[in-house]
Amino acid sequence: MKIKVIIADDNPFVREGMRIILTSFDEFEVLASVQDGQEAVDFCRENEVDVALLDVQMPNMNGVEATKLISEQTETKALILTTFDDEKFILDAIRNGAKGYLLKNNDPERIRDAIITVYNGHNVLQDAVLDKLKSNLLPDKDKDKKEDRGSKIDRSLFTDREHDIMSLIAKGLSNREISKKLFISEGTIANHITSILGKKGLTHRTQIAIYFLTGEVD
């Protein structure tokens, strides 16, 4: 069974180029390409769409607004695919239900992998995007003081180990990389992550990274 995808972008060359790229992979069926967020929302309401690729800046309704409606009103998973790496767009998209945030300058295989990852219920936030969040939101980043990292979160809620894991997640490390760094099993890390998610009512590790960096939960 192929993954059913739609493309929302106000640039017709981008829409057609992305359609050609995705149809070259056996995993996907491109159901439609639309030019704004409202058209994307309407299509997802009326059709069974697995993943919606959404640009950020589009007429009538932007990709962030469309993400919110698609996430609330349909079973479609929203994946932002854009040239904009502004931290406000990133945060707003994730808060509104985006399952991933990817830049268009990725190679086709990276985009394919991201769509498959989102379809399978996981989240995608590429390193360049996470680095953008860090560089703009961490206080005194040039001083690189250890005490500044995670200073905006409520430390009383978390154990020292949970805090360490949150810090490494915020740096973009995978569970395997965290396991090697802290010398504990991936299963133990997964248990700690489940505990962290439960304490703040979060649903995925990207939200953990944002919470650790900003102290905000939406």
Side-chain angles (χ1 to χ4, degrees):
M1 183 180 296
K2 293 191 175 185
I3 300 172
K4 298 176 181 178
V5 179
I6 67 165
I7 302 161
D9 198 296
D10 62 338
N11 187 321
F13 296 103
V14 172
R15 290 199 306 272
E16 180 61 17
M18 189 57 59
R19 186 192 66 79
I20 293 171
I21 289 172
L22 295 185
T23 53
S24 71
F25 295 115
D26 293 335
E27 294 94 337
F28 306 124
E29 177 185 357
V30 179
L31 299 181
S33 59
V34 299
Q35 62 184 353
D36 62 55
Q38 185 61 62
E39 290 184 6
V41 172
D42 292 342
F43 191 92
C44 290
R45 284 171 176 161
E46 298 169 2
N47 301 271
E48 292 185 5
V49 180
D50 295 317
V51 179
L53 293 181
L54 304 167
D55 192 12
V56 169
Q57 290 194 343
M58 295 184 288
N60 299 324
M61 181 185 292
N62 66 41
V64 174
E65 294 169 332
T67 292
K68 179 176 176 60
L69 295 178
I70 288 171
S71 300
E72 289 176 348
Q73 300 177 10
T74 78
E75 297 299 317
T76 304
K77 297 178 175 67
L79 171 59
I80 299 294
L81 182 64
T82 185
T83 58
F84 299 99
D85 63 352
D86 183 277
E87 69 273 10
K88 184 179 187 305
F89 287 139
I90 300 168
L91 290 169
D92 286 348
I94 294 171
R95 288 167 178 161
N96 283 329
K99 300 303 181 184
Y101 200 106
L102 203 64
L103 300 180
K104 289 178 180 176
N105 60 2
N106 282 279
D107 58 46
E109 288 75 19
R110 179 71 179 90
I111 295 173
R112 176 197 62 191
D113 292 345
I115 296 172
I116 294 172
T117 297
V118 166
Y119 171 75
N120 287 324
H122 304 293
N123 299 275
V124 176
L125 188 65
Q126 71 179 84
D127 291 343
V129 173
L130 186 56
D131 288 343
K132 182 71 174 182
L133 286 178
K134 293 178 189 177
S135 65
N136 284 278
L137 297 176
L138 274 176
D140 299 325
K141 58 183 172 58
D142 292 332
K143 297 178 182 179
D144 196 29
K145 293 180 179 179
K146 183 177 180 181
E147 59 269 25
D148 283 336
R149 300 180 184 275
S151 62
K152 295 184 178 181
I153 70 173
D154 185 353
R155 282 293 303 268
S156 66
L157 292 176
F158 307 101
T159 66
D160 289 342
R161 178 62 80 193
E162 287 172 344
H163 186 270
D164 291 341
I165 290 172
M166 293 170 71
S167 173
L168 295 174
I169 289 174
K171 292 178 180 178
L173 273 65
S174 67
N175 283 8
R176 178 172 295 181
E177 291 168 330
I178 295 173
S179 172
K180 292 179 179 179
K181 195 170 187 68
L182 298 182
F183 303 102
I184 55 179
S185 71
E186 290 184 52
T188 299
I189 293 168
N191 290 336
H192 282 303
I193 290 175
T194 298
S195 174
I196 294 166
L197 293 172
K199 289 177 178 179
K200 292 303 299 181
L202 306 176
T203 58
H204 54 79
R205 66 191 295 122
T206 300
Q207 290 179 320
I208 293 176
I210 292 172
Y211 170 63
F212 187 83
L213 294 172
T214 69
E216 297 181 7
V217 176
D218 282 328

